[in-house]
Amino acid sequence: MTDRSGRRIVLAGVGGDSHSVGLIILRRALDRAGFTVDFLSTQNPPDELCSRARGADAVLVSNMDGHAAYYLRDLYGLRILHGAEDAVWYLGGNPSLTGDSTAVGELHGLGFRRVFLGYVDPAHVIACLDEDLAGRNRHTPRDHPGSGTPTGHRSRSAWCTPTLPPALEQASFGTQREEVLAQWHTGHQAGDLEDNAAACAARLSLARVQDQAEREGRVLVHPRTGVAGVQGQSELFRELYEAGADVLSFQVDSLTRNNLHQQVDLLLKESSAQLDTFHGLNGFPLVNHGVAAGRSITAQFPEMPFQVRHSTRDPRLLAEITYASGVTAFEGGALTYNLPYYRDYSPRHSVPRWAYVDRLTGLYHERFGITIDREFFGVLTAAMVPACIAVVACVLEALLAAQEGVKSVSLGYAEQGNRAQDIGAIRALRRVGRHYLDRHGHEDVAVHTVFHQYMAAFPSDPEKSRALLHGSAVTARLSGATRLMLKTAVESSRIPSAAHNAEGLVLVKSALEGPDAPPVPAEADAEEDLIVREASSVLDAILALDASGLGERVALAVELGLLDVPFSPNQWNAGRAMSVRDRDGAVRFADPGAIPLPDDIVRFHAQAVRDRQARDRSDLDVLIERDVLRTARGAFDSWPLTD
C-alpha cells in the first residue's frame, strides 16, 4: 500500500468559477486515500492560492468555466513570488473554451504538470499523484503559512458575522436605481422606463407563451447559449430558431456574472478585430454591449420570447439592461443563485439585491402592464439535491418576488434520474408553489415549472449522452412541466455549439412529440405526496421564524440550517445535509442535518439508506461518491436509471 502520510495537497477552485461538487467529492477521496488536504473551496484569487501552496507537495486547481488562461495568466510569477514552484501542479475540469492543443499547451506553460480536460476519476488523480510524488521529500505542516485550520473547515461562527446589515434595511428604490445605473457606462441607456417598456411590449412575452403552452399541454424546449459578439450571438439564435427552439436566452459570461465589467471591456478591446470568433469569454456580455445591442438582437426575432440566464453576484444592473433590451424573462434569486455559486456571499446581502430586481419587475407590470417572468434556479448544486430542498428554495423566492409585484414565476428543478421521483418533484413544485402563493394573497401570480435535463456531470460516451437526453425528455413530458431546459451530447467535453444544440433539439422534440409515451410510474403519486409533505414542513418552520419580514426569515433559515443545500460552497450554508440514492435510484437524505422534517419521514429516509447499504455492503461515503460520479462514469445501461 502506498504511504501517503505527510503528503499535503492543496485543492482549490480558481477565479470566478463556482463549481463545487467535484471538488468536494475529490476532497473526500483524497482524505480517504491518506493525504492531508488543505481544501480552499471555490473562487480563490491566484495570489491567495499561491500563498497557501507554499510548502505543499501538490496543488490541484479546478476550473469549469473555461477561463483558466485568464484567471491564471500571472500564475508563473506568483508561484515564484510565494515560493510555491516546487509543488506538483495539476489543472482539471473544463479549463479551456476550445480544448484544442494550442490552448492546452498554453495551460501547461503556466506551470502545470498535468492538465485534465473533462471528467477524470478521483482514482486516476490519486494514481497520478502517487507517480509524480514518488521519491520526493515530504513537507511538514510548519513549512507552509496555512498550517492552521484549512479554509474549508473554518467554524461557521467565523462566517456568520452578526454585524451584517439586516436584509430589509436598504435605500429607497429610486436612490438605489441611480447608484445601479451608474455602475457601468451603459447603465444610462436603461434610464427611461417608459422607453424600456415599449421595447418589451414589442416583443413576445415568455409569460404569455408559457400560459398558452400549458393550455395546449405542450412542453417548451429552451436551449441556453452565449458567445462574445453581437453578430455571433445573432447567428447562434438564428440557427436555434430554425432548429425549432421555443425560447431563446442570452447566456451571460462568467466575468459579467462576477460584475467584472472592466475586465470584460479589456478583453473585448483586445479581440475587437475578430470578436465573432473570439474564444476568451464563455457567454454574452450584455452589460458591456448595452441596450442598443440587446434590442438589435431581440428585434430580429419578434415571434420568439427571450430570457437572460446568468448567476450574477449583483444582478441589479444586468436586470435593468435586460428589460431595456426587450427581454421579458430574468432568471435567478437570492438563494438559488447564491448558495450554489458563491463562497463568501451572505444571504443577508443577496436578499436586498434581488428585492431590487423583483421591485423593478413589478414596476413594469404596475405602470405599463408588462408581465416579466422571474425564474428560480431550483437546480442548486445539481448533484443529488433532494427534491424538497429545490421546492423550498423556489417557493421562498416566489414569495419574495410576489410581495414586490411580480406576476409570473417559473420554478425550476434538476432531473436526478429516478423517473417516478422526478415526475413527483415537478408536480409537487407546482402544487406547493400554488398553495403558498395563494395562502399569502398572491392568487394572481402565474406559476410555471421548469424541468432541467440532468445538470450534473455527463457521460463521455456520446451514445449514452443521447440516451440520457431522450429518456430525460420523456420524463419531462410525463411530468407536465411547462418548459424543458436543453442539454447536449457533448456536455462532458466542451461548451456546446449551435450545431450541438440543434442536434439535441431534434432528439428531445422527438421524445416530447412522438406518438407513444410510456405510462407514468405507479410510484410517482407517492413521491409527489412525500415531497409535498417534506417541503410544507420546512416552509412552515421557516415562515414561522421570529424575524422582521420574509427576507429576514429567508436569511435566518440558511444560517440555522433549516434550508441546507448539499455540496454548496457557500460559507453560510450549514453543510450538514447529505444525500444518497436508495435501492431504486431515488435521492434520499443520508443526513437531514437541521432540516425540520417530520419524524416519520426522517425514519423513512434512514431506512432507505440502511437498505441500500445492506444491498451494496459499502460505507456511506463510498456510496455517496459512487452516486455522484455514476453518470459521469457512464455506469448505467439506460435512462432513467434502473437499479
Side-chain angles (χ1 to χ4, degrees):
M1 179 177 178
T2 303
D3 180 13
R4 303 175 181 118
S5 60
R7 291 296 193 190
R8 175 174 163 258
I9 310 296
V10 173
L11 177 63
V14 70
D17 180 44
S18 60
H19 293 81
S20 60
V21 177
L23 278 171
I24 292 172
I25 290 298
L26 182 55
R27 170 194 175 185
R28 287 169 171 258
L30 292 169
D31 280 336
R32 289 199 307 274
F35 292 103
T36 298
V37 183
D38 193 0
F39 181 57
L40 307 187
S41 190
T42 61
Q43 298 178 324
N44 293 277
D47 186 67
E48 181 178 330
L49 172 62
C50 290
S51 175
R52 293 296 293 266
R54 180 161 56 86
D57 293 284
V59 182
L60 277 54
V61 181
S62 173
N63 174 252
M64 292 290 291
D65 68 8
H67 283 3
Y70 174 79
Y71 297 138
L72 300 172
R73 61 194 182 280
D74 298 324
L75 182 64
Y76 186 84
L78 289 171
R79 291 171 64 215
I80 296 173
L81 177 66
H82 290 283
E85 70 271 27
D86 290 338
V88 173
W89 286 69
Y90 292 177
L91 178 63
N94 287 304
S96 167
L97 294 177
T98 62
D100 59 33
S101 58
T102 300
V104 173
E106 290 174 353
L107 294 172
H108 275 291
L110 296 174
F112 289 101
R113 173 76 63 87
R114 298 179 188 261
V115 175
F116 302 99
L117 299 181
Y119 170 72
V120 58
D121 198 282
H124 180 63
V125 176
I126 291 169
C128 290
L129 287 170
D130 287 340
E131 177 182 337
D132 293 340
L133 297 179
R136 292 170 61 95
N137 293 331
R138 298 172 189 268
H139 295 282
T140 60
R142 65 177 177 273
D143 287 336
H144 69 92
S147 58
T149 306
T151 301
H153 295 280
R154 290 180 297 180
S155 68
R156 292 187 68 243
S157 62
W159 298 330
C160 302
T161 309
T163 56
L164 286 172
L168 299 183
E169 286 188 11
Q170 53 184 313
S172 69
F173 181 82
T175 301
Q176 277 196 82
R177 191 160 194 258
E178 292 178 5
E179 297 172 352
V180 166
L181 295 179
Q183 287 179 358
W184 187 249
H185 66 82
T186 57
H188 75 279
Q189 300 171 6
D192 188 337
L193 283 176
E194 187 170 353
D195 184 53
N196 301 343
C200 288
R203 309 293 189 266
L204 190 58
S205 162
L206 179 59
R208 190 170 70 190
V209 169
Q210 291 190 141
D211 288 341
Q212 182 176 348
E214 290 191 349
R215 288 193 297 270
E216 297 172 351
R218 184 166 60 92
V219 182
L220 300 170
V221 181
H222 185 171
R224 55 193 133 198
T225 51
V227 295
V230 173
Q231 182 62 32
Q233 188 69 54
S234 298
E235 293 172 355
L236 183 59
F237 282 154
R238 178 64 58 187
E239 290 188 59
L240 296 175
Y241 168 71
E242 292 175 353
D246 297 304
V247 186
L248 297 175
S249 60
F250 293 91
Q251 191 80 13
V252 172
D253 66 284
S254 291
L255 299 183
T256 298
R257 295 172 207 170
N258 286 276
N259 306 108
L260 300 175
H261 309 307
Q262 181 66 45
Q263 285 88 329
V264 173
D265 190 53
L266 292 173
L267 284 174
L268 292 179
K269 287 176 179 176
E270 290 174 4
S271 61
S272 58
Q274 68 282 348
L275 184 55
D276 291 311
T277 58
F278 173 56
H279 295 295
L281 290 171
N282 63 350
F284 186 75
L286 180 58
V287 170
N288 286 72
H289 284 310
V291 172
R295 288 184 183 179
S296 72
I297 295 174
T298 58
Q300 297 174 45
F301 306 91
E303 66 277 39
M304 293 293 291
F306 280 87
Q307 184 192 55
V308 163
R309 307 183 71 86
H310 53 105
S311 70
T312 304
R313 186 182 184 101
D314 181 350
R316 294 174 296 173
L317 179 58
L318 179 60
E320 289 275 10
I321 292 179
T322 292
Y323 301 161
S325 297
V327 176
T328 57
F330 194 71
E331 188 197 24
L335 296 172
T336 59
Y337 262 4
N338 182 356
L339 300 182
Y341 286 118
Y342 293 101
R343 184 184 73 179
D344 58 351
Y345 191 17
S346 165
R348 293 184 180 273
H349 287 165
S350 63
V351 164
R353 287 175 173 174
W354 281 98
Y356 178 97
V357 172
D358 291 329
R359 180 82 286 267
L360 177 67
T361 307
L363 282 176
Y364 275 86
H365 185 270
E366 293 168 16
R367 295 185 184 179
F368 312 109
I370 304 295
T371 301
I372 294 174
D373 185 78
R374 288 279 291 107
E375 180 183 336
F376 310 115
F377 190 67
V379 170
L380 299 170
T381 53
M384 295 199 307
V385 175
C388 69
I389 299 301
V391 173
V392 169
C394 283
V395 172
L396 288 173
E397 297 204 330
L399 291 171
L400 287 168
Q403 74 178 9
E404 300 293 345
V406 172
K407 298 302 179 184
S408 177
V409 296
S410 295
L411 314 181
Y413 167 79
E415 175 187 32
Q416 299 298 312
N418 176 278
R419 177 165 284 166
Q421 187 174 58
D422 290 332
I423 291 171
I426 288 291
R427 293 176 174 180
L429 193 58
R430 184 186 300 274
R431 184 171 151 192
V432 177
R434 182 75 274 159
H435 172 76
Y436 280 88
L437 284 166
D438 289 351
R439 195 170 100 178
H440 287 79
H442 304 301
E443 296 91 346
D444 59 343
V445 175
V447 177
H448 309 288
T449 54
V450 183
F451 182 94
H452 291 255
Q453 294 196 286
Y454 190 72
M455 287 286 286
F458 254 55
S460 57
D461 182 340
E463 290 305 315
K464 290 197 172 184
S465 291
R466 282 189 279 271
L468 190 160
L469 294 174
H470 187 276
S472 169
V474 172
T475 303
R477 175 180 181 175
L478 296 175
S479 75
T482 313
R483 184 160 30 104
L484 175 148
M485 293 305 304
L486 183 72
K487 300 291 275 187
T488 73
V490 299
E491 297 293 331
S492 68
S493 60
R494 57 169 298 169
I495 295 175
S497 66
H500 294 129
N501 275 280
E503 179 187 350
L505 269 166
V506 172
L507 177 62
V508 162
K509 287 218 166 192
S510 71
L512 290 174
E513 300 170 359
D516 299 315
V520 173
E523 300 84 3
D525 288 344
E527 291 290 347
E528 177 186 347
D529 290 341
L530 174 65
I531 296 164
V532 168
R533 280 194 65 205
E534 291 170 337
S536 298
S537 176
V538 178
L539 283 164
D540 288 344
I542 292 172
L543 295 173
L545 288 172
D546 184 13
S548 58
L550 180 58
E552 283 290 322
R553 292 186 181 96
V554 167
L556 188 57
V558 175
E559 294 170 5
L560 296 175
L562 305 184
L563 177 63
D564 188 357
V565 178
F567 303 107
S568 167
N570 189 273
Q571 296 172 347
W572 279 265
N573 188 74
R576 288 181 54 197
M578 192 54 63
S579 53
V580 71
R581 295 190 186 276
D582 68 10
R583 290 166 60 101
D584 297 318
V587 175
R588 306 299 181 198
F589 281 104
D591 182 350
I595 296 171
L597 300 174
D599 290 343
D600 65 313
I601 290 180
V602 172
R603 291 193 294 271
F604 166 80
H605 284 276
Q607 186 60 54
V609 174
R610 285 194 294 269
D611 291 346
R612 168 77 189 284
Q613 286 186 282
R615 186 194 72 180
D616 290 9
R617 298 181 181 180
S618 296
D619 292 339
L620 190 57
D621 276 351
V622 173
L623 291 179
I624 291 171
E625 177 183 316
R626 186 182 303 167
D627 288 345
V628 170
L629 300 179
R630 176 179 178 179
T631 305
R633 288 169 170 166
F636 61 93
D637 296 322
S638 61
W639 195 270
L641 299 173
T642 53
D643 286 337

